Amino acid sequence: MAKELKDLTKRADNYSQWYNDLVVKADLAEQSAVRGCMVIKPYGYAIWEKMQQTLDRMFKATDVQNAYFPLLIPKSYLCREAEHVEGFAKECAVVTHYRLKNDPNGNGVVVDPDARLEEELIVRPTSETIIWSTYKNWIHSYRDLPILCNQWCNVMRWEMRTRMFLRTAEFLWQEGHCAHATAEESEARTVQMINIYADFAEKYMAMPVIKGVKSANERFAGAVNTYTIEAMMQDGKALQSGTSHNLGQNFAKAFDVTFVNKDNKPEYVWANSWGVSTRLMGALIMTHSDDNGLVLPPHLAPIQVVIVPIYKNSEQLAEISKAVEPILLQLREMGISVKYDDAENRRPGFKFADYELKGIPVRLAIGARDLENGTVELMRRDTLEKSVHALEGIAGYVRDLLEEIQENIFQKALKLRESMTRTVETYDEFKVEIEKGGFILAHWDGTPETEELIKNETKATIRCIPLDGDTTPGVCMVTGRPSARRVLFARNY
Amino acid sequence: MAKELKDLTKRADNYSQWYNDLVVKADLAEQSAVRGCMVIKPYGYAIWEKMQQTLDRMFKATDVQNAYFPLLIPKSYLCREAEHVEGFAKECAVVTHYRLKNDPNGNGVVVDPDARLEEELIVRPTSETIIWSTYKNWIHSYRDLPILCNQWCNVMRWEMRTRMFLRTAEFLWQEGHCAHATAEESEARTVQMINIYADFAEKYMAMPVIKGVKSANERFAGAVNTYTIEAMMQDGKALQSGTSHNLGQNFAKAFDVTFVNKDNKPEYVWANSWGVSTRLMGALIMTHSDDNGLVLPPHLAPIQVVIVPIYKNSEQLAEISKAVEPILLQLREMGISVKYDDAENRRPGFKFADYELKGIPVRLAIGARDLENGTVELMRRDTLEKSVHALEGIAGYVRDLLEEIQENIFQKALKLRESMTRTVETYDEFKVEIEKGGFILAHWDGTPETEELIKNETKATIRCIPLDGDTTPGVCMVTGRPSARRVLFARNY
């Protein structure tokens, strides 16, 4: 057993430490020398790339185009949309100078006081302001609409407490920014994108999510309405995994973006924005992984299958390699990513432990005796079950098994969520249940004040007003006032 | 003819204005509100994405892995490698604060003076320093080597005079950073990467390049040796299109990165770095385009073929669409990107002009009469030649034609370069010839002083000491001292 593996903290002992250990030991990321910023290591980045490629394809299938807008935003732009600045402008990286010079005292370099910017520039925390100031020049008539742009980029928010992938000062994300001629079209796109995020989460990440609408308190700064997908981590906490904002005409008004509509009348443009980030990496890790390491869904695993030869000498290795060759070919022809690890400087036991830690969905091991018997030993990472199979037809078996694993880990996560989701009637009951973790469906009177009170007393927030599920009205568990339907409460990341 | 097209400046009238016009009118990019930063528009970004995907595949085929390192670099890191700081630290965006607050006078937001960073952070101009400070923790033994990492990211250099794609304050690029156990291996990788860049330039961009080594004056700050590919633009100026730097042990020493070698002795790690940027977009535009607009090489065109129906009524359109359907299918099965533009709100003439401006390699037009005759009208963008072909078999013809166009524009660019490359013997001759533009091969004594003198007197720089070509020794055209071989001079972007 590899040393690293033994050092992995158990979830039951310290969930938070388990997560931090796993991120580092599975070679996903590490803290950098810059406060709150991480280095995404090649293995972690390879998973992110698979997420990117999949999402990018899904976006483009709905006519979204990629573009790129500047990293730095003039300070004054942030103030144009009143609510937006309250929500975003405060904790951010501010560029004030554009030059360094040699220290007159000979100690390296210092900021050149003569190179002060007239107006400070902000490292983008999100790009609505710079994009809508640009759209002003792109949009004149309804014929210029819709504009469906997305950008993959880095953003910065000067968070006080950071955790790798979940909350970092710099993170990678995509942000879509659409401009429409009608409120209806913009609302439809907002919903379309949250549906794409939910599909991606469930079909690729194998992570069940609850789609819903944010309460006013939790809404994006500057939005009319925020849609969200909320996932439950194994410790019962909620993780907001993607959001899609209907911005109404707020940014169009702030940046004076009008168009001549079909009736030849000027009108403000309707907007939405939507994004997911490297936070999804944190969600992926915490949804499926176990005390042995990462568990990756086959649809996002950079390596889906690893084959390890077990041999005593080079003749045995040569024979095994010859037998493996056609299997590698067949798997690759099926579009399956497979690695044949015949490296001589690591023992099979070390390799097994390492691939377990890294969450490779299927491992095949072939020794000299297997060769004689025409068999192969298979281990599936999700259940850690081992089984012996005929070499003949193994590629087809593996292909089907990958789909089975994908479905199995989704179902496992879904069952956990269902077992940890309760309905409560009274606030006393709520206070008891929230301590146990998980999701709670309860009635709420719809006011920010009641929401705030619950948050202060229990640390639970309204994750969303679900789009699906029970819509029976009732009375608020705190105030007894009418409630339109149960909403979803949880403590959250 | 579309209005925009008529407004395009002619190359002969003002080459520089032609370039600026074309970038904007072909919807590639535009200036942003932030000084020196551009917005890359969807069409421009689609070309950049094709470049990225191709290069990324070429890198990965040589075992390079992608990763991501922080945007911000502590100021002190830049001073660690003495030459590096001289070359890079000076003109850059400096983050000094991490918070804004409401202006006490009610005018928007101001920088919070209480939120001053202890140490200023620099927006990366290049990432050697942050990456080598990270590698220190990754490398202990020769078994940890080589490390072959690349990142696709944004960087900033506070350039005083900017031009879209060619020189912008913020630009997108990839930067590869490799760590090796031996000097030989690192040198081999440095050369391998400049060869990949040259292959990409010639086979995908259809842009002939000269591979060579930079003189000491033009070398990357902190490098032992810089390899470059130099291309000639249509105005005869050189454009440095990609560089690969052998960094020796300079950064390993600066960041104290050692490893235990096979002899069990500590040794500094050997490094190289290599990059290409959105500058390649400028190179692509200026190599092939003409007074009618963009000319794109088929291997990088987001849309390779456009089909425009010409019809008088919806019955005709329906018939044409029915005939076009199988052609679309066949082209797509061949992996060719094709657009069928049956939009009703733009006349065919407008469409033709627009696709010419945007550089679509092949345009097919089909009218009612064509349908009767079983023919189609084809225009190739590189020569603007029109021809009529049988509909039967047109997909195969177009596939072959795309390759022919790719080869033709490469040969055209190569011929221009050859016609504008001269060999001169005397400095007087040099001064006359350099005014005519183009590349000049001349003897130089190898000293920075002579290079500097030539630059000051003629604005020409040594683009590179070519790897290939005539290696006959001679005497320096300026000083008469011995010269090992002719080097390449030009004025440059």
Side-chain angles (χ1 to χ4, degrees), chain B residues 12-45:
Chain B
D13 292 344
N14 185 338
Y15 188 81
S16 170
Q17 189 59 44
W18 164 80
Y19 175 79
N20 294 343
D21 278 6
L22 185 50
V23 167
V24 171
K25 287 179 197 297
D27 267 344
L28 301 176
E30 66 182 39
Q31 296 289 359
S32 79
V34 185
R35 202 197 137 284
C37 297
M38 64 180 166
V39 171
I40 306 180
K41 299 182 77 172
Y43 191 56
Y45 201 85

Side-chain angles (χ1 to χ4, degrees), chain B residues 422-436 440 477:
Chain B
R422 287 93 69 207
T423 298
V424 310
E425 305 303 328
T426 71
Y427 192 36
D428 281 343
E429 205 186 336
F430 182 88
K431 286 180 192 163
V432 172
E433 288 299 321
I434 200 72
E435 291 301 325
K436 300 178 191 164
I440 297 181
M477 63 174 172

Side-chain angles (χ1 to χ4, degrees), chain B residues 213-247:
Chain B
V213 172
K214 285 287 183 191
S215 63
N217 280 10
E218 300 282 329
R219 199 179 280 155
F220 176 75
V224 170
N225 209 357
T226 287
Y227 291 89
T228 180
I229 51 170
E230 301 283 329
M232 186 194 287
M233 302 295 100
Q234 289 179 58
D235 62 349
K237 283 168 84 174
L239 194 140
Q240 176 181 307
S241 303
T243 47
S244 184
H245 314 292
N246 184 335
L247 305 172

Side-chain angles (χ1 to χ4, degrees), chain B residues 340-482:
Chain B
Y340 179 52
D341 184 356
D342 59 354
E344 303 199 8
N345 57 353
R346 306 198 307 168
R347 284 171 299 106
F350 185 95
K351 291 177 185 176
F352 288 1
D354 190 41
Y355 293 123
E356 232 170 88
L357 181 62
K358 295 226 165 81
I360 315 297
V362 171
R363 181 189 83 208
L364 300 176
I366 307 188
R369 202 156 12 145
D370 290 303
L371 221 51
E372 279 171 31
N373 301 337
T375 58
V376 56
E377 187 199 75
L378 181 152
M379 195 197 76
R380 51 188 283 184
R381 178 63 186 88
D382 60 337
T383 60
L384 297 169
E385 283 165 0
K386 286 182 192 169
S387 52
V388 173
H389 298 266
L391 264 175
E392 181 79 31
I394 189 69
Y397 179 80
V398 164
R399 178 194 53 203
D400 297 344
L401 180 61
L402 288 170
E403 292 308 311
E404 189 185 321
I405 293 172
Q406 180 80 24
E407 179 62 18
N408 179 53
I409 63 173
F410 175 78
Q411 290 300 337
K412 199 173 155 193
L414 185 61
K415 278 200 196 95
L416 181 76
R417 188 185 79 187
E418 283 171 355
S419 75
M420 293 183 81
T421 301
R422 287 93 69 207
T423 298
V424 310
E425 305 303 328
T426 71
Y427 192 36
D428 281 343
E429 205 186 336
F430 182 88
K431 286 180 192 163
V432 172
E433 288 299 321
I434 200 72
E435 291 301 325
K436 300 178 191 164
F439 286 179
I440 297 181
L441 287 160
H443 281 293
W444 159 63
D445 63 16
T447 69
E449 294 74 24
T450 303
E451 186 177 2
E452 197 67 25
L453 181 145
I454 296 168
K455 185 177 175 182
N456 291 338
E457 291 189 351
T458 68
K459 291 186 204 144
T461 52
I462 297 176
R463 301 318 304 152
C464 69
I465 303 153
L467 295 186
D468 308 317
D470 184 7
T471 56
T472 319
V475 294
C476 175
M477 63 174 172
V478 177
T479 63
R481 282 185 288 202

Side-chain angles (χ1 to χ4, degrees), chain A residues 74-79 85-86 88-96 116 118-122, chain B residues 96-116:
Chain A
K75 191 188 68 179
S76 60
Y77 280 32
L78 293 177
C79 309
V85 68
E86 284 305 315
F88 272 105
K90 300 312 170 56
E91 311 293 332
C92 53
V94 187
V95 175
T96 57
R116 197 182 165 86
E118 260 182 64
E119 180 180 4
E120 293 90 353
L121 298 168
I122 311 303
Chain B
T96 56
H97 291 74
Y98 59 83
R99 196 189 300 135
L100 299 173
K101 63 172 191 177
N102 289 326
D103 182 357
N105 303 321
N107 291 321
V109 289
V110 293
V111 177
D112 183 346
D114 294 338
R116 197 183 165 85

Side-chain angles (χ1 to χ4, degrees), chain A residues 54-206:
Chain A
T54 307
L55 284 165
D56 200 66
R57 202 173 55 235
M58 293 170 90
F59 298 160
K60 283 177 176 157
T62 71
D63 297 325
V64 170
Q65 297 181 300
N66 287 331
Y68 189 76
F69 296 86
L71 169 72
L72 300 180
I73 299 179
K75 191 188 68 179
S76 60
Y77 280 32
L78 293 177
C79 309
R80 298 274 283 269
E81 212 291 325
E83 286 184 26
H84 190 65
V85 68
E86 284 305 315
F88 272 105
K90 300 312 170 56
E91 311 293 332
C92 53
V94 187
V95 175
T96 57
H97 292 74
Y98 58 85
R99 194 189 303 135
L100 299 174
K101 61 173 190 176
N102 289 325
D103 182 357
N105 304 320
N107 291 319
V109 289
V110 293
V111 177
D112 184 346
D114 293 339
R116 197 182 165 86
L117 289 168
E118 260 182 64
E119 180 180 4
E120 293 90 353
L121 298 168
I122 311 303
V123 179
R124 62 183 162 219
T126 181
S127 301
E128 277 77 7
T129 57
I130 187 83
I131 288 179
W132 278 88
S133 81
T134 307
Y135 281 179
K136 182 173 169 59
N137 302 317
W138 295 6
I139 301 169
H140 304 98
S141 145
Y142 68 92
R143 286 184 213 91
D144 301 322
L145 297 170
I147 292 176
L148 311 172
C149 275
N150 175 62
Q151 73 175 351
W152 291 94
C153 66
N154 53 346
V155 286
M156 284 206 90
R157 298 175 188 178
W158 210 268
E159 303 284 354
M160 281 302 112
R161 300 183 63 180
T162 62
R163 292 192 69 190
M164 282 186 287
F165 291 121
L166 297 173
R167 193 175 295 276
T168 47
E170 182 188 13
F171 55 93
L172 304 182
W173 80 345
Q174 60 68 217
E175 47 180 325
H177 296 271
C178 298
H180 299 270
T182 68
E184 294 70 32
E185 216 185 275
S186 184
E187 172 67 10
R189 170 59 67 168
T190 314
V191 172
Q192 181 178 22
M193 298 319 293
I194 204 69
N195 285 333
I196 285 179
Y197 290 155
D199 274 1
F200 173 75
E202 302 204 328
K203 294 186 183 140
Y204 291 88
M205 297 176 66

